[in-house]
């Protein structure tokens, strides 16, 4: 980037910063003066260095300062971590529209400090009743390309977020439901700034400008993305929020909002879908047992299926427990080698066995069986890559299933929150690809979550676990995570967006904090290195690139790629909490 380009980027980012500070002043709430802080400018791409955050009482780490501010205000008013999560998520729908919102779903872990209990909620989207295993197959018997499938109503699943937030508030909230909507309503009506990241992504996405409502909101008269710092107003979304604040989630799944969602999906001009009002009315959130397992002296809890994230993270940690990681340098080729090899093994199993466990028998216990995990770890050679790993045969596995190496797109966000009573929320939330299905209804974008299914229902005559079926949840890699210490106390709250790379991002952060004893910000800052059972992937523009030749000599097929993680984490400190936010995105960690 030349000096002129850097100057222009900083001017755009500075305008965005000024606009955010202006908007913060407009938001309702008594805590504005004590919480608002100056913000660093953020360029359209690249890193913005973050510093370790400290707090004595409570903390919020999320993908945008306005969302963090909304969460902090709920906590300042005596709200719980769940109250803060709902307020922050509603603001993220506005300011990070490419990543999450009411048109999508989420996985949520909640820790209740008084009961010393962890609960897990699966708010994943479901396939409509009219979707079947031929959904993404062309008339010639071949699967569609991702681009053919993603834009339009075909890939829209039944959104789960609104029902999830209401259920979680009923179980774990304290403030009035209506109050949680006020920050997002104020921003939608009074205006919020176009950020550098959203502007950058708008310049790369295809198909969004063909939706009239999206075009009016995000693009200027010439069809270009509106300038960084431009105040955007979304009165349609404000009206939707007012209805939900007054009438609850039933108003989303029945009535006029549901009808408008169905119309947008079924009447898409080029790629209509099958979603019906009955599909919306019948949606339910799954409350499931969290998936927990040991690592060193710690206990790690994550999500069970329909996400593969919890299984894969626990499998990889279990394999790494057989190695002395504390003696390995974080920036070394040996560290990269081990992270990549456990990734290969975990993804080989994931791609064969993991899907929605209401439709497929997922051998969760077998995949995490200590003897099986030890056997998998023994396949790792200290100085040589195994190349492509094969799926194992864990106890209870269905050996008739075929491999399914489907990837996931990265339209996802994550927030980590701890309140003043020690309750915590780790929630990863998504509309799947950037800007979802590129359809807007009632001021929010709809998901394209069905593209997380395997497009082909079978491989070599054998069924794949993650094939499309009516009512099924597509497999995810989202990995919201809670860590408990040897005394059973909450130690860490963490997660990340990033499609199937999420698993590697979360693993790196856990290893860096638990084995290498880095603070949470330093752990997040570390270059990303992983493997999804293909290439060993090294983060472009980081120190990891210098490992390419050494890893190649060890037999690793190496690929240097952009790895824009969005890790947000909170760790217990001697006198409170420390927090970190990913320098690759616009998020912050703040508290009091």
């Amino acid at each position: 980037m030349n000096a002129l380009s850097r100057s222009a980027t900083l001017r755009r980012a500075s305008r965005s910063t000024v606009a955010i500070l202006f908007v913060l002043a407009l938001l309702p709430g008594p805590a504005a003066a004590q919480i608002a802080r100056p913000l660093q400018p953020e360029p359209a791409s690249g890193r913005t260095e973050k510093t370790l955050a400290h707090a004595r009482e409570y903390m919020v780490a999320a993908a945008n300062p306005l969302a963090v501010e909304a969460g902090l205000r709920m906590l300042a008013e005596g709200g719980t971590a769940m109250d803060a999560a709902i307020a922050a998520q509603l603001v993220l729908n506005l300011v990070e529209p490419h990543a999450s919102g009411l048109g999508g779903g989420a996985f949520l872990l909640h820790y209740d400090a008084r009961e010393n209990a962890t609960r897990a909620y699966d708010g994943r989207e479901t396939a409509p009743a009219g979707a079947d295993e031929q959904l993404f197959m062309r008339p010639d018997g071949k699967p569609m390309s991702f681009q053919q499938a993603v834009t339009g109503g075909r890939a829209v699943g039944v959104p789960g977020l609104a029902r999830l937030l209401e259920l979680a508030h009923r179980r774990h909230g304290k403030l009035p439901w209506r109050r949680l909507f006020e920050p997002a309503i104020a921003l939608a009506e009074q205006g919020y700034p176009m950020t550098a990241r959203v502007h950058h992504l708008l310049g790369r996405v295809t198909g969004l400008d063909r939706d009239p409502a999206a075009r009016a909101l995000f693009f200027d008269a010439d069809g270009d993305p509106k300038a960084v710092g431009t105040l955007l107003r979304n009165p349609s979304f404000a009206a939707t929020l007012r209805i939900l604040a007054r009438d609850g989630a039933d108003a989303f799944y029945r009535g006029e909002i549901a009808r408008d969602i169905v119309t947008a999906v079924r009447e898409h001009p080029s790629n209509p879908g099958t979603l019906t009002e009955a599909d919306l009315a019948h949606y339910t959130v799954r409350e499931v047992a969290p998936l927990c397992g040991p690592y060193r002296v710690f206990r790690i809890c994550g999500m069970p299926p329909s996400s593969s994230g919890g299984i894969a993270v626990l499998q990889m940690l279990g394999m790494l427990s057989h190695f002395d990681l504390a003696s390995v340098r974080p920036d070394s080729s040996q560290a990269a080698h081990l992270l990549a090899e456990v990734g290969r093994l975990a993804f080989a199993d994931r791609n064969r066995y993991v899907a929605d466990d209401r439709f497929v028998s997922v051998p969760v216990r077998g995949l995490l069986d200590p003897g099986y995990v030890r056997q998998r770890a023994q396949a790792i050679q200290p100085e040589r890559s195994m190349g492509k790993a094969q799926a194992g045969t864990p106890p209870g596995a269905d050996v008739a299933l075929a491999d399914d190496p489907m990837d996931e797109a990265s339209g996802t966000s994550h927030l980590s929150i701890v309140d003043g009573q020690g309750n915590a929320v780790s929630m990863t939330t998504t509309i799947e690809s950037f800007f979802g299905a590129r359809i807007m209804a009632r001021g929010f974008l709809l998901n394209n979550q069905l593209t997380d299914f395997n497009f082909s229902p079978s491989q070599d005559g054998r069924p794949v676990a993650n094939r499309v079926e009516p009512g099924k949840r597509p497999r995810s890699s989202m990995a919201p995570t809670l860590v408990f210490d040897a005394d059973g106390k909450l130690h860490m709250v963490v997660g990340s967006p990033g499609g199937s790379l999420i698993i590697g991002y979360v693993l790196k952060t856990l290893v860096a904090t638990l084995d290498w004893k880095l603070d949470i910000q330093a752990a997040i800052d570390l270059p990303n290195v992983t493997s999804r059972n293909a290439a060993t992937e090294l983060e472009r523009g980081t120190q990891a690139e210098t490992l390419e030749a050494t890893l190649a000599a060890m037999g690793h097929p190496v690929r240097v790629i952009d790895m824009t993680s969005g890790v947000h984490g909170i760790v217990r400190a001697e006198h409170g909490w420390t927090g970190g936010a990913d320098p690759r995105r616009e998020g912050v960690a703040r508290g009091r």
Side-chain angles (χ1 to χ4, degrees), residues 247-305:
D247 299 330
D250 279 349
F252 183 92
Y253 291 94
R254 295 179 173 85
E256 59 186 46
I257 295 176
R259 284 193 294 273
D260 285 351
I261 292 172
V262 169
T263 297
V265 169
R266 298 181 70 91
E267 297 185 4
H268 189 272
S270 62
N271 199 17
T274 66
L275 186 71
T276 67
E277 290 183 54
D279 291 321
L280 286 159
H282 294 150
Y283 181 84
T284 57
V285 172
R286 296 181 69 197
E287 183 173 0
V288 291
L291 192 61
C292 300
Y295 182 62
R296 315 288 188 196
V297 301
F298 299 95
R299 182 170 175 81
I300 315 295
C301 291
M303 286 298 307

Side-chain angles (χ1 to χ4, degrees), residues 17 30 71 82 108 140 143-144 178 192 196 199 225 229 262 341 395 431 448 496 499 538 543 555 564:
T17 300
M82 195 64 244
L108 188 153
D140 63 3
M144 293 179 174
R178 287 181 179 228
Y192 55 97
H199 174 87
V262 169
E341 297 298 279
I431 57 172
N448 65 298
S496 179
L538 308 178
Q543 185 71 17
T564 312

Side-chain angles (χ1 to χ4, degrees), residues 326-390:
S327 66
V328 176
R329 289 199 335 271
D331 59 351
S332 67
S333 59
Q334 188 62 22
H337 172 69
L338 290 173
L339 292 176
E341 297 298 279
V342 297
R344 284 186 167 81
L345 292 161
F347 267 80
D349 283 350
R350 165 195 184 270
N351 292 346
R352 177 165 294 181
Y353 298 118
V354 183
D356 186 339
D357 60 347
R358 297 170 307 147
F359 290 77
V360 177
S361 179
V362 182
V364 177
R365 287 192 178 184
L367 289 166
L368 299 178
D369 177 79
Y372 176 72
V373 172
R374 185 185 314 111
Q375 173 194 337
R376 298 294 271 168
Q378 288 169 352
I380 300 173
Q381 302 177 53
E383 301 296 337
R384 189 75 187 168
S385 174
M386 69 184 69
K388 187 174 179 64
Q390 300 301 311

Side-chain angles (χ1 to χ4, degrees), residues 107-457:
F107 291 96
L108 188 153
L109 288 177
H110 180 272
Y111 173 68
D112 186 310
R114 184 168 59 88
E115 297 181 5
N116 192 27
T118 301
R119 292 180 172 83
Y121 299 92
D122 181 341
R124 182 71 158 161
E125 301 87 338
T126 57
D132 61 25
E133 62 183 26
Q134 298 299 312
L135 181 67
F136 297 119
M137 299 299 288
R138 302 185 323 208
D140 63 3
K142 296 180 179 179
M144 293 179 174
S145 69
F146 181 78
Q147 289 305 320
Q148 287 176 309
V150 66
T151 301
R154 180 182 298 270
V156 177
V158 184
L161 184 68
R163 187 67 78 193
L164 170 66
L165 296 182
E166 182 182 65
L167 174 63
H169 177 260
R170 190 180 306 129
R171 301 274 178 84
H172 310 296
K174 180 179 177 182
L175 296 177
W177 173 251
R178 287 181 179 228
R179 172 69 184 106
L180 311 180
F181 287 73
E182 291 175 6
I185 291 171
L187 287 168
E189 292 180 338
Q190 299 170 12
Y192 55 97
M194 170 77 80
T195 69
R197 180 167 173 78
V198 175
H199 174 87
H200 174 70
L201 293 172
L202 285 168
R204 299 175 58 188
V205 71
T206 59
L208 183 64
D209 58 350
R210 293 197 291 271
D211 182 274
R215 182 181 178 91
L217 179 60
F218 298 120
F219 298 92
D220 63 23
D222 296 325
D224 297 320
K226 291 180 179 177
V228 174
T230 302
L231 284 184
L232 307 179
R233 292 179 174 83
N234 191 341
S236 294
F237 188 59
T240 296
L241 293 180
R242 288 188 181 281
I243 293 171
L244 296 184
R246 183 188 67 223
D247 299 330
D250 279 349
F252 183 92
Y253 291 94
R254 295 179 173 85
E256 59 186 46
I257 295 176
R259 284 193 294 273
D260 285 351
I261 292 172
V262 169
T263 297
V265 169
R266 298 181 70 91
E267 297 185 4
H268 189 272
S270 62
N271 199 17
T274 66
L275 186 71
T276 67
E277 290 183 54
D279 291 321
L280 286 159
H282 294 150
Y283 181 84
T284 57
V285 172
R286 296 181 69 197
E287 183 173 0
V288 291
L291 192 61
C292 300
Y295 182 62
R296 315 288 188 196
V297 301
F298 299 95
R299 182 170 175 81
I300 315 295
C301 291
M303 286 298 307
S306 57
S307 182
S308 65
I311 293 174
V313 168
L314 284 172
Q315 259 200 330
M316 293 157 80
L317 288 172
M319 287 183 264
L320 289 173
S321 69
H322 297 281
F323 297 88
D324 181 15
L325 278 179
S327 66
V328 176
R329 289 199 335 271
D331 59 351
S332 67
S333 59
Q334 188 62 22
H337 172 69
L338 290 173
L339 292 176
E341 297 298 279
V342 297
R344 284 186 167 81
L345 292 161
F347 267 80
D349 283 350
R350 165 195 184 270
N351 292 346
R352 177 165 294 181
Y353 298 118
V354 183
D356 186 339
D357 60 347
R358 297 170 307 147
F359 290 77
V360 177
S361 179
V362 182
V364 177
R365 287 192 178 184
L367 289 166
L368 299 178
D369 177 79
Y372 176 72
V373 172
R374 185 185 314 111
Q375 173 194 337
R376 298 294 271 168
Q378 288 169 352
I380 300 173
Q381 302 177 53
E383 301 296 337
R384 189 75 187 168
S385 174
M386 69 184 69
K388 187 174 179 64
Q390 300 301 311
T393 307
D398 183 351
V399 296
L401 293 172
D403 290 336
D404 165 19
M406 285 294 292
D407 195 9
E408 301 159 26
S410 302
T412 306
S413 194
H414 180 83
L415 53 84
S416 295
I417 300 175
V418 176
D419 67 26
Q421 289 69 51
N423 307 306
V425 168
S426 180
M427 183 170 77
T428 311
T429 171
T430 184
I431 57 172
E432 216 276 329
S433 184
F434 288 131
F435 301 99
R438 283 69 147 164
I439 302 175
M440 184 163 270
R442 288 285 184 145
F444 56 88
L445 288 160
L446 299 178
N447 71 83
N448 65 298
Q449 211 64 254
L450 303 189
T451 58
D452 272 356
F453 285 114
N454 191 292
F455 286 18
S456 297

